[in-house]
């Protein structure tokens, strides 16, 4: 136990760095995580959310344990000299002959380090055995390549040993992790996934916000791409300079908004692109004719105003939903 304790004590700083980065990474990934959970499960489950955020911590820890600390200063490992690759798959035999049982913690660490990856692949992502093992192999290969190339050329020399044995241990760990997930599934089956075509017409506030975030991301990308193309034409086509003063960015943004929040959901049962991904419809009940047109007009006006004047309207809409359990346009 003392040998293992001394070995792990060398990684205390790596673990603390991962924990320090975890809140920031979790905050940045919250909306993508929620979107994925809604898409996969059709609802938010506490266990799935906790497991996903723990998976974020694991990925950060994996990076910190294998790549941290980085070289610093003007001289030293990775700056003025490096370490060669270790490409002999039987090198561990010689290491054990020279150093005895002191090599075991390092081997065990490399196996155990990748077991959570296999477990996550099998339990959280529901991947099969070989897919999980291949992902473990590729992740290990990426890390070893980063170590052996000075973080892909950021540093002049390799500051850690790229070891083919680590590749074997890591991949074995991923396989063992998947087998653990499979064994657990026999005792505690994972929750059911969303069915094909499953859509809710009673979305909660969080799901609505996630869908709107996805829609806004799509609108931003479309506006940027189309505006860049228009700008390229205006600056290169003969005689196009007469259109240079046209606010084409605003026109493209408005057209993108109308298509995303009005045209597309009108033709697809109330599902915007983001809504379709998180399995929701903005139409909380059936409406037809002028009634439906009024609903979409009120919804577009509300969302448009909230995008133009976000500081106050988002708060008012959230308070309205908390009291009425619906949005103002749902009353139509």
């Amino acid at each position: 136990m003392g040998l293992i304790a001394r070995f792990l004590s060398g990684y205390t700083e790596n673990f603390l760095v991962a924990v320090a980065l975890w809140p920031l990474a979790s905050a940045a990934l919250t909306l993508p995580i929620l979107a994925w959970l809604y898409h996969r499960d059709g609802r938010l489950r506490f266990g799935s959310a906790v497991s996903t955020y723990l998976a974020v911590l694991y990925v950060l820890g994996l990076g910190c344990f294998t790549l941290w600390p980085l070289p610093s200063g003007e001289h030293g490992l990775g700056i003025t000299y490096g370490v060669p690759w270790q490409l002999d798959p039987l090198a561990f035999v010689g290491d054990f002959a020279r150093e005895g049982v002191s090599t075991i913690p390092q081997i065990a660490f490399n196996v155990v380090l990748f077991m959570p990856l296999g477990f996550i692949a099998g339990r959280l992502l529901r991947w099969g055995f070989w897919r999980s093992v291949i992902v473990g192999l590729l992740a290990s290969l990426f890390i070893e390549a980063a170590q052996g190339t000075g973080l892909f050329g950021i540093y002049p020399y390799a500051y850690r040993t790229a070891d083919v044995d680590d590749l074997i241990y890591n991949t074995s760990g991923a396989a063992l992790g998947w087998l653990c997930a499979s064994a657990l599934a026999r005792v505690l089956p994972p929750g059911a996934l969303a069915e094909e075509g499953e859509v809710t017409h009673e979305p909660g506030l969080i799901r609505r916000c996630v869908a709107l975030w996805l829609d806004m991301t799509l609108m931003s990308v479309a506006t940027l791409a189309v505006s860049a193309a228009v700008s390229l034409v205006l600056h290169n086509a003969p005689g196009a300079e007469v259109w240079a003063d046209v606010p084409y960015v605003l026109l493209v943004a408005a057209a993108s908004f109308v298509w995303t929040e009005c045209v597309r959901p009108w033709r697809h049962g109330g599902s915007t692109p983001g809504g379709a991904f998180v399995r929701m419809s903005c139409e909380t009940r059936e409406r037809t004719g002028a009634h439906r047109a009024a609903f979409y007009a009120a919804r577009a006006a509300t969302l448009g105003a909230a995008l133009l004047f976000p500081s106050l309207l988002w708060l008012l809409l959230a308070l309205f939903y908390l009291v009425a359990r619906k949005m103002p346009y749902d009353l139509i």
Side-chain angles (χ1 to χ4, degrees):
M1 291 298 295
L3 182 64
I4 296 176
R6 287 195 300 273
F7 173 78
L8 293 177
S9 65
Y11 290 94
T12 302
E13 182 182 354
N14 306 66
F15 178 73
L16 293 177
V17 171
V19 171
L21 292 174
W22 187 30
L24 299 176
S26 296
L29 294 173
T30 287
L31 287 173
I33 287 173
L34 293 178
W36 176 72
L37 290 175
Y38 274 126
H39 177 76
R40 191 194 70 166
D41 297 342
R43 59 194 58 81
L44 276 184
R45 292 192 179 96
F46 178 77
S48 295
V50 171
S51 299
T52 304
Y53 282 106
L54 288 177
V56 172
L57 176 60
Y58 167 72
V59 172
L60 289 173
L62 185 63
C64 290
F65 278 112
T66 56
L67 300 175
W68 185 271
L70 300 174
S72 60
E74 297 180 355
H75 301 277
L77 185 63
I79 303 297
T80 55
Y81 67 93
V83 290
W85 291 54
Q86 197 297 104
L87 300 177
D88 180 6
L90 298 178
F92 71 94
V93 176
D95 294 340
F96 187 81
R98 288 191 309 272
E99 304 175 28
V101 296
S102 62
T103 61
I104 293 178
Q106 180 66 50
I107 295 174
F109 178 77
N110 277 289
V111 173
V112 172
L113 184 63
F114 268 65
M115 286 182 65
L117 180 61
F119 187 88
I120 290 168
R123 181 75 177 187
L124 188 62
L125 301 179
R126 316 288 177 89
W127 289 351
F129 176 77
W130 288 112
R131 184 180 183 185
S132 302
V133 170
I134 290 173
V135 168
L137 173 64
L138 293 177
S140 179
L141 182 61
F142 175 85
I143 290 171
E144 296 304 316
Q147 292 176 340
T149 59
L151 208 55
F152 302 108
I154 293 178
Y155 299 97
Y157 300 93
Y159 62 94
R160 286 201 177 191
T161 303
D163 194 333
V164 69
D165 286 337
D166 290 348
L167 202 64
I168 298 171
Y169 303 145
N170 296 160
T171 306
S172 300
L176 289 174
W178 188 94
L179 292 174
C180 290
S182 179
L184 178 63
R186 296 189 184 97
V187 180
L188 186 64
L193 302 180
E195 297 180 0
E196 183 68 25
E198 179 180 334
V199 174
T200 180
H201 291 268
E202 297 179 354
L205 180 61
I206 295 178
R207 193 187 301 226
R208 291 173 186 256
C209 291
V210 174
L212 183 60
W213 170 74
L214 290 171
D215 289 335
M216 290 176 61
T217 301
L218 176 63
M219 286 186 283
S220 299
V221 171
T223 300
L224 180 63
V226 175
S227 298
V230 172
S231 177
L232 189 64
V233 171
L234 291 179
H235 284 83
N236 292 279
E241 59 273 6
V242 297
W243 301 96
D245 294 332
V246 175
Y248 57 88
V249 176
L250 292 177
L251 293 176
V252 171
S256 177
F257 175 82
V258 170
W259 181 87
T260 302
E261 301 299 335
C262 297
V263 177
R264 206 280 182 182
W266 179 281
R267 300 176 59 185
H268 292 83
S271 290
T272 64
F277 187 80
V278 299
R279 302 180 183 278
M280 64 157 277
S281 168
C282 66
E283 297 188 40
T284 51
R285 54 194 174 90
E286 186 176 355
R287 300 174 179 86
T288 58
H291 195 194
R292 191 173 186 228
F295 165 80
Y296 273 101
R299 181 175 180 275
T302 302
L303 294 180
L307 292 176
L308 292 174
F309 309 102
S311 57
L312 178 61
L313 284 181
W314 287 121
L315 177 60
L316 293 177
L317 288 174
L319 292 175
F320 184 92
Y321 183 89
L322 292 176
V323 173
R325 310 304 298 178
K326 58 182 66 178
M327 287 296 179
Y329 44 81
D330 292 331
L331 299 175
I332 298 177

